[in-house]
Amino acid sequence: MRNVSLYHHLICFSLLLVTHLTSVSSWKRDEFRNCNQTPFCKRARSRKPGSCPLITADVSITDGDLTAKLISKNLENPEDQSPINPLILTISVHQDGVLRLKINEDPSFDPPKKRFEVPDVIVPEFLEKKLWLQRLSEEVIGGDSGPSSVVYLLDGYEAVLRHDPFEVFVREKGGKRVLSLNSNGLFDFEQLKVKKEGEDWEERFRGHTDTRPYGPQSISFDVSFYGADFVYGIPEHATSLALKPTSGPGVEESEPYRLFNLDVFEYLHESPFGIYGSIPVMISHGRARGTSGFFWLNAAEMQIDVLGSGWDAESGIALPSDQSQIDTLWMSEAGVIDAFFFVGPGPKDVVRQYTSVTGTPAMPQFFATAYHQCRWNYRDEEDVAQVDSKFDEYDIPYDVLWLDIEHTDGKRYFTWDRVLFPHPEEMQNKLAAKGRHMVTIVDPHIKRDESFHLHKEATQKGYYVKDATGKDYDGWCWPGSSSYPDMLNPEIRSWWADKFSLENYVGSTPSLYIWNDMNEPSVFNGPEVTMPRDALHYGGVEHRELHNAYGYYFHMATADGLVKRGDGKVRPFVLSRAFFPGSQRHGAVWTGDNTAEWEHLRVSVPMILTLGLTGITFSGADVGGFFGNPEPELLVRWYQLGAYYPFFRAHAHHDTKRREPWLFGERNTELMKEAIHVRYALLPYFYTLFREANTSGVPVMRPLWMEFPADEATFSNDEAFMVGSSLLVQGVFTERAKHASVYLPSGQSWYYLNSGTAYKGGRTHKMEVSEESIPAFQRAGTIIPRKDRFRRSSTQMENDPYTLVIALNSTQEAEGELYIDDGKSFEFAKGAYLHRRFVFSNGKLTSSNAAPSASGKRQFSSDCVVERIILLGYSPGPKSTHIEPANQKAEIELGPLYLRNGRSPTVFTIRKPNVRIADDWMIQVL
């Protein structure tokens, strides 16, 4: 009987796997719920403006916060005549213009359970920056019958709690609004209840039943952004950078933007459907007012409408008419209101304010910012060795080789297939000898096999997520029958982290790093290919309440494991597919299972830009597309664009043809090699930008409007982007393109990277494009550090000399920065780094220390020198320079813009000044 049972299980799993893989060919919309099939979304969308019955009462200052009760004008819920209990409201003010609003049920009325509040996302430093309110003032707003409460937020800004009707808004001292909540009266908070006899709370979808033991518990409210031309954010969706209206007159697409982490094969572009990650952060920008932001810390499913102009034409609600605004509707299945208002007023201010709450991006190891080569799957050790040697044979640098699920023993993670990978340590050490690294995949589903030590231990310790009946949840994924560690529990996260030690992860070495996939979590036979909402976690928390954060906790535990492995001295590298606010502190993410299509190449830009706006700067898309076989032209264009992604990795599905760069003919190999060389030359610049992100939250890859917030032509441009403040990149997204239209923002000239030719800003240029590159420009007035010698890997470039590319503006001035540390340890956090500032002015280039001075700092130095200084836009004249303090001369002569390209144009170059990068010095043009 046991064999028969096993046979039946294998048949079932085979059918599930076939179903899952056949969905690759076409995304099946009906496998996932839409708003009309999601009761809380349908209910929220049906509410009319002004329907909120709540008013504010019992306002006071308590423990430095403004506290109040929200009570209903109606004594009973009109739907079921149940009493409407008061809600507790708390407003706290934090440094740098951050307002926090919390609304929850009143515990004194003894609700059936405690509503879930997401832990371990807000960084402790933020809580320490609370401003203790001492007093509040009162003011009558408009024609209200009574006063409202006003508190200080930031110099020039105030927060207002309107009493009747209930509303919260932030305004400038002069009275102009910035952000508001419940201005349209759409607020609704479904309170937990005890089930009455005969009530049916169950929800059913495609054969799955959600028991919903605590009944409806959704929350919805409207948020308005004033002085806004566009809104952005709320990843992850494969759609435009500027969010399009989803409801209102003339809106064709009627689905809201969904935030619900799902394993979506071959997702559609230009769709509001949610995919692998969720960050409930929206940022508005407009010429009239600048930038503001709103963040709702909630891990349950969320749906968000961007309401089109005229959506409320019949509401009769009078809002300030002297300000343009964009209204939005936020809906969530569960949780509490824990919301943050960011006043800006600039784009970088909002990102800084948001990352002050959830943390700035982790500083990556240097190697991780270089090129990664991945495939599902490199077959065996011989395949790995051959791929590695081919990169050397074709003189193509790379830093990381990746192994997907087939390297394991029967999809048991932390193991190796001993036939295909009999000597894993030796394999890794051979790569490490060239300065290269390896990444292996570790997913959250653990194979339910009594002979598998990990499963046996997790079962004995009770570490798995439970189903609604309290048994270990059993779902199907790559290994077949699987269970999932309950990563909400800190004890289980610590246990998981220990599994990455060299002792526990047999066959691993210090040069091995980790890839977390399928951590939405993906469950092939679950509702919507994920875990049931009524599954149970630590503390009795339902999966519906924390779903979007499951992958975040898994990512966190894995990154902690790599830190533990290195005794707290070595930075981790972990790539995750699922993400949530705070994921930026733990590693990189990518945009998931894209397709080898031109439209997927194009949509990668707004997807990565949106991630950067919402804190996650270390991100990229699979170069070449995960599914399908790209034509050589598409693959080349993807390498040319991907070279500027913050995370640069090629990846492909196992059913696709092999596509390493040397497999498409000599010419295409040269083109892909050149694209990779562009990335390696710019690694010093990228690493400097990663440090900027680590300290300020400002992303590496930026929308044009982040650098040019007053230039309206940039506000909805999502085919071009900035890398830092100095480089502008325009993708080529069509087949056999001969021209590309490139808008160069106003204020400065721009130097074409290929030729050094200057182009005027403030206009659109029709650029001729060839197969050799995509349009990229250096902004006048900037200095970019490069390394122009190419090695097998980035780690072998450590001692190579620098090139400084100075792009002079109309006043013959420029400035730039360079950040250097040891590229791998946490010593930089103790001050062991170099931060140099370069300024060219009055014919003189100076290098000075940009690091803050502090006693007791760790020391770091470098013997690297500056080998060449390129002067773009230099007015011909003097031919030599004087160097101090060395008291030496260096000649200015025509030299190649790039050393690697025999046809490189010539530009004015200061040759071999040989000044140390770590020193203060001055070079005067004579």
Side-chain angles (χ1 to χ4, degrees), residues 118-166:
V118 188
D120 304 313
V121 170
I122 298 173
V123 293
E125 297 82 3
F126 173 75
L127 301 176
E128 295 165 4
K129 293 178 180 177
K130 188 178 100 166
L131 302 178
W132 283 66
L133 298 175
Q134 304 297 323
R135 56 188 170 80
L136 54 83
S137 57
E138 291 191 337
E139 177 186 328
V140 176
I141 304 294
D144 290 357
S145 57
S148 292
S149 303
V150 182
V151 295
Y152 167 88
L153 176 57
L154 180 72
D155 287 349
Y157 294 93
E158 297 169 319
V160 179
L161 173 61
R162 194 175 177 193
H163 294 188
D164 184 7
F166 159 60

Side-chain angles (χ1 to χ4, degrees), residues 741-775:
S741 292
V742 185
Y743 177 74
L744 299 177
S746 57
Q748 289 292 353
S749 295
W750 297 81
Y751 294 92
Y752 193 40
L753 251 55
N754 271 15
S755 64
T757 305
Y759 288 80
K760 288 185 178 179
R763 61 183 65 177
T764 299
H765 297 268
K766 186 178 181 181
M767 305 286 300
E768 286 190 15
V769 293
S770 70
E771 63 180 4
E772 295 181 0
S773 64
I774 59 175

Side-chain angles (χ1 to χ4, degrees), residues 729-919:
V729 179
Q730 168 70 53
V732 174
F733 305 112
T734 55
E735 202 173 355
R736 294 187 291 276
K738 302 298 181 187
H739 297 89
S741 292
V742 185
Y743 177 74
L744 299 177
S746 57
Q748 289 292 353
S749 295
W750 297 81
Y751 294 92
Y752 193 40
L753 251 55
N754 271 15
S755 64
T757 305
Y759 288 80
K760 288 185 178 179
R763 61 183 65 177
T764 299
H765 297 268
K766 186 178 181 181
M767 305 286 300
E768 286 190 15
V769 293
S770 70
E771 63 180 4
E772 295 181 0
S773 64
I774 59 175
F777 298 81
Q778 183 171 346
R779 183 181 182 179
T782 65
I783 299 175
I784 288 180
R786 288 193 331 219
K787 283 199 173 187
D788 287 348
R789 297 184 186 181
F790 297 103
R791 310 294 185 186
R792 290 175 169 179
S793 63
S794 68
T795 49
Q796 296 188 344
M797 297 164 61
E798 183 178 356
N799 298 315
D800 286 346
Y802 287 88
T803 294
L804 299 180
V805 184
I806 302 177
L808 295 169
N809 62 16
S810 57
T811 59
Q812 296 283 285
E813 293 177 314
E815 58 184 48
E817 295 183 359
L818 172 65
Y819 173 85
I820 316 170
D821 60 25
D822 65 19
K824 56 189 175 186
S825 79
F826 286 105
E827 289 295 294
F828 75 94
K830 302 171 185 174
Y833 62 85
L834 297 174
H835 187 185
R836 306 302 301 176
R837 179 171 175 79
F838 308 113
V839 176
F840 189 95
S841 182
N842 298 318
K844 181 169 60 178
L845 174 65
T846 57
S847 173
S848 59
N849 180 25
S853 56
S855 59
K857 281 202 322 178
R858 298 288 175 91
Q859 296 300 308
F860 176 79
S861 191
S862 169
D863 291 326
C864 292
V865 299
V866 177
E867 181 181 45
R868 298 194 310 145
I869 299 172
I870 292 171
L871 298 167
L872 300 177
Y874 174 67
S875 301
K879 298 294 184 184
S880 66
T881 63
H882 182 73
I883 303 172
E884 290 290 353
N887 194 25
Q888 294 175 344
K889 285 192 174 183
E891 299 303 311
I892 299 178
E893 55 190 59
L894 287 174
L897 183 56
Y898 298 100
L899 295 178
R900 66 186 181 273
N901 192 332
R903 295 166 293 150
S904 175
T906 55
V907 289
F908 285 105
T909 306
I910 303 173
R911 286 193 67 245
K912 295 187 177 179
N914 291 334
V915 286
R916 290 180 77 245
I917 203 71
D919 294 344

Side-chain angles (χ1 to χ4, degrees), residues 22-33 258 262-269 271-275 529:
T22 53
S23 69
V24 168
S25 60
S26 60
W27 180 64
K28 296 178 180 176
R29 186 184 293 267
D30 61 355
E31 290 181 357
F32 303 98
R33 302 204 301 184
R258 189 184 192 193
L262 289 174
D263 177 4
V264 183
F265 275 98
E266 203 173 18
Y267 50 81
L268 300 178
H269 60 86
S271 168
F273 188 83
I275 44 181
V529 201

Side-chain angles (χ1 to χ4, degrees), residues 277-348:
S278 299
I279 304 184
V281 176
M282 188 175 285
I283 294 173
S284 77
H285 184 71
R287 179 152 188 179
R289 197 266 141 190
T291 317
S292 62
F294 178 81
F295 166 40
W296 185 7
L297 177 54
N298 187 318
E301 178 184 355
M302 205 176 286
Q303 304 262 6
I304 301 169
D305 267 322
V306 177
L307 303 172
S309 178
W311 72 274
D312 57 345
E314 299 176 4
S315 71
I317 294 176
L319 291 172
S321 58
D322 60 335
Q323 289 181 264
S324 62
Q325 71 190 58
I326 294 177
D327 297 321
T328 58
L329 174 61
W330 297 62
M331 307 163 268
S332 181
E333 183 182 13
V336 300
I337 292 179
D338 191 359
F340 301 79
F341 299 70
F342 308 117
V343 301
K348 294 179 183 178

Side-chain angles (χ1 to χ4, degrees), residues 407-592:
H407 82 277
T408 61
D409 176 13
K411 313 298 189 299
R412 298 170 183 87
Y413 301 107
F414 302 100
T415 69
W416 303 85
D417 184 318
R418 288 296 177 175
V419 174
L420 302 176
F421 295 92
H423 309 293
E425 293 178 24
E426 182 183 336
M427 172 179 65
Q428 294 161 59
N429 290 335
K430 285 179 179 177
L431 295 178
K434 300 177 181 180
R436 291 170 177 158
H437 298 77
M438 177 165 272
V439 166
T440 54
I441 196 165
V442 177
D443 291 349
H445 45 263
I446 296 177
K447 185 180 178 74
R448 293 185 60 83
D449 177 351
E450 291 303 321
S451 67
F452 183 25
H453 65 92
L454 195 63
H455 168 65
K456 195 171 181 180
E457 187 179 350
T459 302
Q460 289 171 349
K461 290 179 178 288
Y463 279 176
Y464 284 136
V465 176
K466 310 302 179 191
D467 64 21
T469 69
K471 298 177 182 176
D472 287 349
Y473 175 68
D474 183 349
W476 288 78
C477 209
W478 296 126
S481 179
S482 305
S483 288
Y484 297 73
D486 184 2
M487 291 300 176
L488 178 63
N489 187 337
E491 177 187 321
I492 297 173
R493 292 203 298 267
S494 180
W495 167 80
W496 182 260
D498 289 337
K499 300 307 170 191
F500 293 92
S501 71
L502 299 178
E503 178 185 9
N504 286 332
Y505 191 173
V506 176
S508 68
T509 70
S511 65
L512 182 74
Y513 292 88
I514 302 299
W515 172 17
N516 288 161
D517 199 0
M518 314 295 283
N519 54 337
E520 294 74 28
S522 177
V523 184
F524 293 165
N525 64 334
E528 299 191 274
V529 201
T530 193
M531 195 173 283
R533 296 168 193 245
D534 55 5
L536 294 171
H537 293 261
Y538 174 64
V541 175
E542 287 190 286
H543 187 72
R544 81 181 74 255
E545 300 176 276
L546 68 76
H547 172 83
N548 286 342
Y550 181 85
Y552 163 74
Y553 293 123
F554 187 71
H555 193 188
M556 176 195 295
T558 302
D560 287 348
L562 293 186
V563 173
K564 275 188 180 182
R565 183 186 75 180
D567 296 322
K569 297 176 182 177
V570 181
R571 296 173 228 166
F573 172 75
V574 183
L575 179 74
S576 174
R577 189 169 71 176
F579 53 83
F580 190 69
S583 290
Q584 67 269 16
R585 304 198 307 271
H586 305 296
V589 308
W590 90 107
T591 62

